[in-house]
Amino acid sequence: MADKKVIAVLGATGAQGGGLVRAILADPDGGFAVRAITRDPSSEKAQELAALGAEVVAADADDEASLEKAFSGCHGAFCVTFFWAHFSPETELAEAGNMALAAKAAGVAHVIWSTLEDTRRFIPLDDDRMPTLGGRYKVPHYDGKGEANHLFTDAGVPTTFLQTSFYWDNFIHFGMGPQRGDDGSLAITFPIGDGRIAGMASEDIGACAYGVFKAGAPLIGTTVSIAGEHLTGAQLAAAFSEALGEPVSFNAVTPDVYRSFGFPGADDLGNMFQFTTEFEAEYTGVRDIDGSRALNPALKSFAVWLAANKEQIPV
Ligand SMILES: NC(=O)c1ccc[n+]([C@@H]2O[C@H](COP(=O)([O-])OP(=O)(O)OC[C@H]3O[C@@H](n4cnc5c(N)ncnc54)[C@H](OP(=O)(O)O)[C@@H]3O)[C@@H](O)[C@H]2O)c1
């Protein structure tokens, strides 16, 4: 343990961070140890990580001093923010700033910042093809993360910018899976036309992050964009049909219709899908599947992920 490089992991009880914690623990000879950060070390999920062999410490992304303490003595830190807990890009910016300053103060040698594109680089606020949200965003849960990139650079933190992809887990937890229509048949609904979604198992984000820490110095200062597969709505529906043993169709709606669905974040996600579809080359195209597999040789295809998770899809 003493000669291992310790990686502090934010969001350790969640999807991305949890994947990284498990990837590190699954490779005991890999030279890395893990410090799982949680706001509540006594929670069931935190205790599960401790039972697997993780060091578990308390810190809060809103409290820079707690982060500096949690990062202290670590070689690396995995930094992620939690948009869907509060729907506020300003909170993400503040928390990312805390993470950057804490990493600098603690002398962390390699930070991974889990980020996404600032879509305003592609669609300025005065472009009315999609509504401006919150006064200064097109896709709030992307733009805040992309805007926060410079906080790590400005703080002089050695950072890899990890651009993640749509979680296939959203088909289980986010209400995006096949839904039954009035006629009883199943369909998935996305405003992507014939476009492809860059997606992956959330667990594989953490496993790719582990690959980034293992690769080390050559990836510092770079942007690494990851995905498991790039699939059209029709291809996703075909895979669901195969796995569920029942026809699932793809219901292509317009971004305007998707934004009007009214669930919390529908406007943000409608803008997101419009952005990823209209800028497919710049968004999906840069999410390198072979490169992701090089970082994480066990990278899952959608079919493999679906076969392992189909029982959890609420249909
Ligand atoms: N859904 C997608 O398709 C997708 C795709 C790409 C990127 N993302 C982004 O992924 C991010 C969320 O990551 P995730 O899905 O891995 O999160 P998650 O599964 O929701 O887990 C987040 C964990 O972080 C901890 N946490 C929450 N607030 C915290 C705070 N203030 N300080 C410290 N820890 C805190 C919580 O653990 P404790 O309760 O134990 O503290 C929680 O278990 C979002 O910003 C989202 O935009 C999502």
Side-chain angles (χ1 to χ4, degrees), residues 163-240:
Q163 294 194 144
T164 61
S165 286
F166 176 88
Y167 304 173
W168 293 326
D169 313 60
N170 295 334
F171 296 129
I172 302 173
H173 304 297
F174 220 76
M176 289 189 180
Q179 309 277 329
R180 279 194 199 282
D182 294 341
D183 65 355
S185 68
L186 290 171
I188 52 170
T189 299
F190 292 104
I192 60 171
D194 296 330
R196 297 171 304 155
I197 299 183
M200 65 196 303
S202 63
E203 183 85 7
D204 279 338
I205 296 177
C208 287
Y210 180 45
V212 170
F213 281 124
K214 284 195 291 186
L219 293 183
I220 288 172
T222 72
T223 297
V224 175
S225 306
I226 54 175
E229 264 191 291
H230 305 158
L231 295 172
T232 63
Q235 289 171 323
L236 288 165
F240 274 118

Side-chain angles (χ1 to χ4, degrees), residues 38-55:
T38 172
R39 292 165 299 173
D40 179 8
S42 70
S43 75
E44 199 176 313
K45 283 184 176 173
Q47 289 298 311
E48 279 171 23
L49 296 179
L52 287 174
E55 177 191 1

